[in-house]
Amino acid sequence: MIEQSIVPEPLWPTPTLRIRHANCDELNLGLRRIILQKEGEILAAAKPTPVAGVEAGLTANWLEYNVLNWDYPEIAVFRKMVLSGLREYFKLVGNPDDPGLAIAGVSCWANVLRHGEYLAVHHHDPGFVSAHYTVHGGSEKGAEAHNLESGHTIYFRPGFMDRSHGGAQAGPTSPWDTDWRISVRPTPGTLYFFPSYVRHEVRPNLEGAERISIAMDVYVKRQNSFIHFGGRRWFVPRP
Ligand SMILES: [Fe+2]
C-alpha cells in the first residue's frame, strides 16, 4: 500500500496581510497628536542613523525609541491591534501557537513625511515580518485628494530588483512582470504586514499635511537571532 505524506513547504513565498480598521478616526487623531508631540521630544536629543534616504527625523532615530512602549491609552489600543494582527499573519505561515513563532522582539517607530519628503527603496531584513499602519495619508481633504501616487507605498516583487532597475527600462521582459510593482495608497486605519525582505519605497508626499505612519519589524524565536531584545528600541510582549 503506497501512502502519501503531503507537507506544504513553500520555499520563499510572499505572504502579505492587509487589515482595515473602521471607526478609527478618533484613534488616528490621538496617534497623530502623540507622534507629533513625541517627535519634538525625540528630536531634541536626536541620534540619527541615516536610513532609506532619510538623514533626520523620527524615521532616522528608529534605534532610539519604541512606539509600542509609549504610555498612552491610544497606544494601548494600537498595541492590541498589532498583536492580534500578528497572530493572523502567523496563521498564514504556520501554526500561530508554534513556539518558534513566539515573538522575540518588536522594533517600532514612526514616520512623519512632510511635503516633498519620501523614503527611498529599502527593506527590513533580517526581521521576520514587518508592518506599516497609516495614521494620516497626508491630504487635508481626505483620501480622495491623493494624486500622482502621493505618499503611496510601492512594494517590489522579490527578485525583480536583483535583475532590473525597474522603471521604463524594465520593459515587458516577461508577462509575469506586470506585477513587479504594487502601489498602495496610504489609507488611514490600514495595517499592512509583509515579509521583511520585501523591498519597498514611499513616494514623495505631495499633499499639504504630514503623512504619518507607524512601522515595525518583528523577530520571532525560530530565527535564533543574536539580538538582545532589551533597552529602549525593543518591545517584548508579556506572555
Ligand atoms: Fe520600510
Side-chain angles (χ1 to χ4, degrees):
M1 182 75 170
I2 295 173
E3 287 184 14
Q4 273 188 327
S5 171
I6 299 175
V7 182
E9 247 175 44
L11 286 175
W12 292 280
T14 314
T16 61
L17 178 66
R18 189 197 313 248
I19 301 178
R20 295 192 179 95
H21 299 88
N23 307 320
C24 57
D25 291 355
E26 203 175 323
L27 173 70
N28 288 336
L29 271 177
L31 292 173
R32 184 187 196 197
R33 172 180 47 78
I34 292 164
I35 289 168
L36 292 176
Q37 180 192 326
K38 283 282 186 183
E39 183 184 38
E41 291 171 22
I42 289 166
L43 298 191
K47 277 175 66 184
T49 305
V51 65
V54 174
E55 305 271 331
L58 279 181
T59 306
N61 280 275
W62 94 100
L63 296 174
E64 308 302 320
Y65 64 95
N66 190 308
V67 171
L68 296 173
N69 289 332
W70 293 349
D71 189 14
Y72 295 90
E74 292 91 341
I75 296 294
V77 172
F78 179 67
R79 220 162 24 225
K80 276 193 189 154
M81 284 163 56
V82 166
L83 292 176
S84 70
L86 269 171
R87 187 169 171 83
E88 293 304 316
Y89 184 83
F90 291 148
K91 288 179 189 171
L92 298 180
V93 297
N95 175 358
D97 294 317
D98 176 353
L101 286 175
I103 297 169
V106 183
S107 177
C108 183
W109 64 98
N111 304 297
V112 179
L113 297 179
R114 297 188 165 81
H115 186 82
E117 294 180 334
Y118 62 94
L119 299 179
V121 177
H122 64 281
H123 59 73
H124 295 227
D125 204 78
F128 180 76
V129 55
S130 297
H132 306 134
Y133 177 80
T134 303
V135 175
H136 196 285
S139 169
E140 278 143 347
K141 298 179 200 131
E144 278 66 41
H146 284 278
N147 55 51
L148 297 171
E149 296 192 319
S150 170
H152 280 215
T153 302
I154 313 289
Y155 298 93
F156 296 96
R157 194 182 70 211
F160 181 83
M161 295 188 85
D162 300 334
R163 60 185 173 85
S164 170
H165 295 297
Q169 71 271 47
T173 52
S174 152
W176 292 101
D177 283 346
T178 53
D179 72 346
W180 66 273
R181 177 187 192 276
I182 306 287
S183 181
V184 178
R185 173 189 292 228
T187 305
T190 299
L191 181 58
Y192 194 85
F193 292 93
F194 57 98
S196 303
Y197 56 75
V198 173
R199 287 180 172 90
H200 55 281
E201 66 176 323
V202 177
R203 300 299 299 160
N205 176 10
L206 304 177
E207 304 289 348
E210 299 95 347
R211 178 201 186 276
I212 300 176
S213 62
I214 301 173
M216 70 203 75
D217 294 339
V218 179
Y219 290 73
V220 297
K221 299 276 188 188
R222 72 154 78 137
Q223 292 179 282
N224 291 320
S225 172
F226 291 118
I227 295 171
H228 169 61
F229 296 102
R232 61 193 163 185
R233 179 185 169 191
W234 295 101
F235 165 76
V236 180
R238 275 183 251 135

